[in-house]
Amino acid sequence: MTQALIVIDVQNDFCPGGALAVPGGDEIIERINAMLPDYPVRVFTQDWHPVGHSSFASQHEGKSPFGLIEMPYGAQVLWPDHCVQGSAGAAFHPALQTDPADLIIRKGFRREIDSYSAFFENDHSTPTGLEGYLRTRGVDSLVMVGLATDFCVNYSALDAAHLGFRVEVGLEACRAIDLDGSLAAALDGMSDAGIVLTDH
Ligand code: VGL
Ligand code: ZN
């Protein structure tokens, strides 16, 4: 078994003071740094949106952040402008050790489509390429940590499980946005999909 650590979106905008701050988002960083040496394969993701991305409430007249709209691919939560390509908010948190990353994968770079998952964009069919990278490196088991538990970690873990990887989510190294019960729903959904939720 070859196990990869997948570190999801530990970026300034998802940490306190950021544009889409996840409560306690920076509290997980020391734990993630300490986990890195234990894994032979280490992948980091970065939410990486162009200016004017369609998931930004600012692009939809009369809409506010955390509202919902219908996109061609289904319902989409609207967000404050965040993780704009090249901005300070899109950078990794400065306390995160990034040198050990084998691969950094960016997602959400197509203006018309959001991408929560590290594997597929929100249409559930456009691949990011991460599956091929992991398979060609012989990875069959994943440990996922990062931000946010109920969005990008959740969708990444579900896609990975559907693709046939063994998946663990280290909940102590994740923090949630928790919009209208989204954390409880995500935990239930991950358990139902056979994802192992641990105290890492
Ligand atoms: C995320 C909302 C919008 C995440 C990314 O990383 O969980 N959430 N973009
Ligand atoms: Zn985003």
Side-chain angles (χ1 to χ4, degrees), residues 8-9 11 14 20 22 47 49 55 79 82-83 107 114-116 147-153 177:
I8 307 278
D9 296 2
Q11 294 165 264
F14 296 124
L20 179 39
V22 179
D47 209 37
H49 299 309
S55 76
W79 304 107
H82 66 279
C83 296
K107 61 187 178 60
D114 205 3
S115 187
Y116 294 147
L147 305 171
T149 320
D150 42 347
F151 286 91
C152 290
V153 175
I177 296 174

Short mmCIF file of all heavy atoms in Angstrom, two decimals, residues 8-9 11 14 20 22 47 49 55 79 82-83 107 114-116 147-153 177, ligand 1:
data_model
loop_
_atom_site.label_atom_id
_atom_site.label_comp_id
_atom_site.label_asym_id
_atom_site.label_seq_id
_atom_site.Cartn_x
_atom_site.Cartn_y
_atom_site.Cartn_z
N ILE A 8 -5.38 20.01 1.59
CA ILE A 8 -6.34 20.77 0.79
C ILE A 8 -6.39 22.24 1.21
O ILE A 8 -6.75 22.56 2.36
CB ILE A 8 -7.77 20.17 0.97
CG1 ILE A 8 -7.80 18.67 0.68
CG2 ILE A 8 -8.80 20.95 0.14
CD1 ILE A 8 -7.89 18.27 -0.74
N ASP A 9 -6.05 23.13 0.31
CA ASP A 9 -6.41 24.58 0.38
C ASP A 9 -6.05 25.29 1.69
O ASP A 9 -6.86 26.08 2.22
CB ASP A 9 -7.93 24.75 0.12
CG ASP A 9 -8.35 24.32 -1.28
OD1 ASP A 9 -7.49 23.87 -2.05
OD2 ASP A 9 -9.54 24.45 -1.60
N GLN A 11 -4.72 28.00 2.59
CA GLN A 11 -4.38 29.28 1.96
C GLN A 11 -4.83 30.43 2.86
O GLN A 11 -5.78 30.29 3.64
CB GLN A 11 -5.08 29.38 0.60
CG GLN A 11 -4.57 28.37 -0.42
CD GLN A 11 -5.48 28.22 -1.61
OE1 GLN A 11 -6.31 27.31 -1.64
NE2 GLN A 11 -5.37 29.10 -2.59
N PHE A 14 -8.53 31.31 3.48
CA PHE A 14 -9.35 30.40 4.28
C PHE A 14 -8.94 30.41 5.76
O PHE A 14 -9.48 29.64 6.56
CB PHE A 14 -9.27 28.97 3.72
CG PHE A 14 -9.85 28.83 2.34
CD1 PHE A 14 -9.08 28.32 1.30
CD2 PHE A 14 -11.15 29.21 2.06
CE1 PHE A 14 -9.60 28.18 0.03
CE2 PHE A 14 -11.68 29.09 0.78
CZ PHE A 14 -10.91 28.58 -0.24
N LEU A 20 -12.44 34.45 3.00
CA LEU A 20 -13.44 33.39 3.26
C LEU A 20 -12.91 32.57 4.43
O LEU A 20 -12.62 31.39 4.32
CB LEU A 20 -13.65 32.55 1.98
CG LEU A 20 -14.62 31.38 1.96
CD1 LEU A 20 -15.90 31.65 2.73
CD2 LEU A 20 -14.94 30.98 0.53
N VAL A 22 -12.19 30.40 7.45
CA VAL A 22 -12.78 29.24 8.10
C VAL A 22 -12.39 29.33 9.58
O VAL A 22 -11.20 29.46 9.89
CB VAL A 22 -12.20 27.94 7.48
CG1 VAL A 22 -12.79 26.71 8.15
CG2 VAL A 22 -12.45 27.92 5.96
N ASP A 47 -6.85 26.48 -4.18
CA ASP A 47 -8.01 27.07 -4.85
C ASP A 47 -7.45 28.27 -5.62
O ASP A 47 -6.71 29.09 -5.05
CB ASP A 47 -8.99 27.51 -3.75
CG ASP A 47 -10.44 27.48 -4.17
OD1 ASP A 47 -10.84 26.58 -4.93
OD2 ASP A 47 -11.19 28.38 -3.71
N HIS A 49 -8.67 30.95 -8.43
CA HIS A 49 -9.72 31.50 -9.28
C HIS A 49 -9.26 32.73 -10.06
O HIS A 49 -8.59 33.60 -9.50
CB HIS A 49 -10.92 31.93 -8.43
CG HIS A 49 -11.55 30.82 -7.65
ND1 HIS A 49 -11.92 29.62 -8.22
CD2 HIS A 49 -11.90 30.73 -6.33
CE1 HIS A 49 -12.47 28.86 -7.28
NE2 HIS A 49 -12.46 29.50 -6.13
N SER A 55 -18.19 31.74 -9.24
CA SER A 55 -18.63 31.37 -7.89
C SER A 55 -18.65 32.58 -6.96
O SER A 55 -19.05 32.44 -5.80
CB SER A 55 -17.72 30.30 -7.29
OG SER A 55 -16.47 30.84 -6.86
N TRP A 79 -19.83 32.75 -3.09
CA TRP A 79 -18.81 33.04 -2.08
C TRP A 79 -18.34 34.48 -2.20
O TRP A 79 -18.46 35.09 -3.27
CB TRP A 79 -17.61 32.10 -2.28
CG TRP A 79 -17.96 30.66 -2.24
CD1 TRP A 79 -18.02 29.80 -3.30
CD2 TRP A 79 -18.34 29.88 -1.10
NE1 TRP A 79 -18.38 28.54 -2.89
CE2 TRP A 79 -18.60 28.57 -1.55
CE3 TRP A 79 -18.49 30.17 0.26
CZ2 TRP A 79 -18.99 27.54 -0.68
CZ3 TRP A 79 -18.88 29.14 1.11
CH2 TRP A 79 -19.12 27.85 0.65
N HIS A 82 -12.48 35.28 -3.43
CA HIS A 82 -11.42 34.63 -2.64
C HIS A 82 -10.45 33.92 -3.57
O HIS A 82 -10.79 33.57 -4.70
CB HIS A 82 -12.04 33.62 -1.66
CG HIS A 82 -12.70 32.45 -2.35
ND1 HIS A 82 -13.96 32.52 -2.88
CD2 HIS A 82 -12.23 31.21 -2.64
CE1 HIS A 82 -14.26 31.37 -3.44
NE2 HIS A 82 -13.24 30.56 -3.33
N CYS A 83 -9.25 33.71 -3.05
CA CYS A 83 -8.22 32.93 -3.75
C CYS A 83 -8.07 33.33 -5.22
O CYS A 83 -8.05 32.48 -6.12
CB CYS A 83 -8.49 31.43 -3.62
SG CYS A 83 -8.38 30.86 -1.91
N LYS A 107 -6.92 24.35 -8.74
CA LYS A 107 -8.28 24.03 -9.20
C LYS A 107 -9.16 25.26 -9.13
O LYS A 107 -8.86 26.20 -8.38
CB LYS A 107 -8.86 22.90 -8.35
CG LYS A 107 -8.95 23.30 -6.89
CD LYS A 107 -9.36 22.16 -6.00
CE LYS A 107 -9.40 22.57 -4.56
NZ LYS A 107 -10.35 23.67 -4.28
N ASP A 114 -16.94 26.06 -10.91
CA ASP A 114 -16.21 25.98 -9.65
C ASP A 114 -15.63 24.57 -9.52
O ASP A 114 -16.03 23.64 -10.23
CB ASP A 114 -17.14 26.31 -8.48
CG ASP A 114 -16.36 26.82 -7.27
OD1 ASP A 114 -15.12 26.98 -7.37
OD2 ASP A 114 -16.99 27.07 -6.23
N SER A 115 -14.69 24.42 -8.63
CA SER A 115 -14.08 23.12 -8.40
C SER A 115 -13.75 22.97 -6.93
O SER A 115 -12.78 23.50 -6.44
CB SER A 115 -12.80 22.98 -9.24
OG SER A 115 -12.29 21.67 -9.13
N TYR A 116 -14.59 22.25 -6.21
CA TYR A 116 -14.30 21.98 -4.80
C TYR A 116 -13.32 20.82 -4.69
O TYR A 116 -12.44 20.80 -3.85
CB TYR A 116 -15.57 21.61 -4.04
CG TYR A 116 -16.61 22.70 -3.92
CD1 TYR A 116 -17.96 22.38 -3.91
CD2 TYR A 116 -16.24 24.03 -3.77
CE1 TYR A 116 -18.93 23.36 -3.77
CE2 TYR A 116 -17.20 25.01 -3.63
CZ TYR A 116 -18.55 24.67 -3.64
OH TYR A 116 -19.50 25.62 -3.50
N LEU A 147 -8.73 22.41 4.46
CA LEU A 147 -9.87 23.32 4.53
C LEU A 147 -10.68 23.24 3.24
O LEU A 147 -10.09 23.15 2.17
CB LEU A 147 -9.36 24.76 4.72
CG LEU A 147 -8.42 24.97 5.93
CD1 LEU A 147 -7.81 26.36 5.90
CD2 LEU A 147 -9.16 24.73 7.24
N ALA A 148 -11.95 23.32 3.30
CA ALA A 148 -12.75 23.21 4.51
C ALA A 148 -13.36 21.80 4.56
O ALA A 148 -13.71 21.24 3.54
CB ALA A 148 -13.86 24.26 4.48
N THR A 149 -13.51 21.27 5.76
CA THR A 149 -14.01 19.91 5.94
C THR A 149 -15.25 19.63 5.10
O THR A 149 -15.38 18.56 4.49
CB THR A 149 -14.42 19.69 7.42
OG1 THR A 149 -13.48 20.32 8.27
CG2 THR A 149 -14.57 18.23 7.73
N ASP A 150 -16.18 20.59 5.09
CA ASP A 150 -17.50 20.36 4.49
C ASP A 150 -17.57 20.77 3.03
O ASP A 150 -18.61 20.55 2.40
CB ASP A 150 -18.59 21.06 5.31
CG ASP A 150 -18.21 22.45 5.76
OD1 ASP A 150 -17.02 22.83 5.68
OD2 ASP A 150 -19.09 23.20 6.21
N PHE A 151 -16.53 21.34 2.48
CA PHE A 151 -16.54 21.68 1.06
C PHE A 151 -15.40 20.96 0.34
O PHE A 151 -15.56 19.84 -0.12
CB PHE A 151 -16.57 23.20 0.84
CG PHE A 151 -17.94 23.74 1.15
CD1 PHE A 151 -18.26 24.19 2.43
CD2 PHE A 151 -18.95 23.71 0.19
CE1 PHE A 151 -19.55 24.62 2.74
CE2 PHE A 151 -20.23 24.14 0.49
CZ PHE A 151 -20.53 24.60 1.76
N CYS A 152 -14.25 21.57 0.25
CA CYS A 152 -13.22 20.97 -0.59
C CYS A 152 -12.69 19.64 -0.07
O CYS A 152 -12.42 18.73 -0.86
CB CYS A 152 -12.10 21.97 -0.85
SG CYS A 152 -12.69 23.31 -1.94
N VAL A 153 -12.57 19.48 1.24
CA VAL A 153 -12.12 18.18 1.76
C VAL A 153 -13.20 17.13 1.48
O VAL A 153 -12.91 16.04 0.97
CB VAL A 153 -11.80 18.26 3.27
CG1 VAL A 153 -11.46 16.88 3.82
CG2 VAL A 153 -10.65 19.24 3.52
N ILE A 177 -16.51 25.20 7.34
CA ILE A 177 -17.26 26.45 7.17
C ILE A 177 -18.59 26.32 7.91
O ILE A 177 -19.04 27.22 8.58
CB ILE A 177 -17.47 26.74 5.66
CG1 ILE A 177 -16.12 26.99 4.96
CG2 ILE A 177 -18.41 27.94 5.48
CD1 ILE A 177 -16.21 27.14 3.45
C1 VGL B 1 -13.61 26.17 -0.69
C2 VGL B 1 -15.52 27.43 -0.85
C3 VGL B 1 -15.08 27.99 -2.02
C4 VGL B 1 -12.82 25.18 0.10
C5 VGL B 1 -13.16 26.72 -1.87
O1 VGL B 1 -11.58 25.14 -0.05
O2 VGL B 1 -13.43 24.42 0.89
N1 VGL B 1 -14.79 26.52 -0.20
N2 VGL B 1 -13.88 27.63 -2.53
#
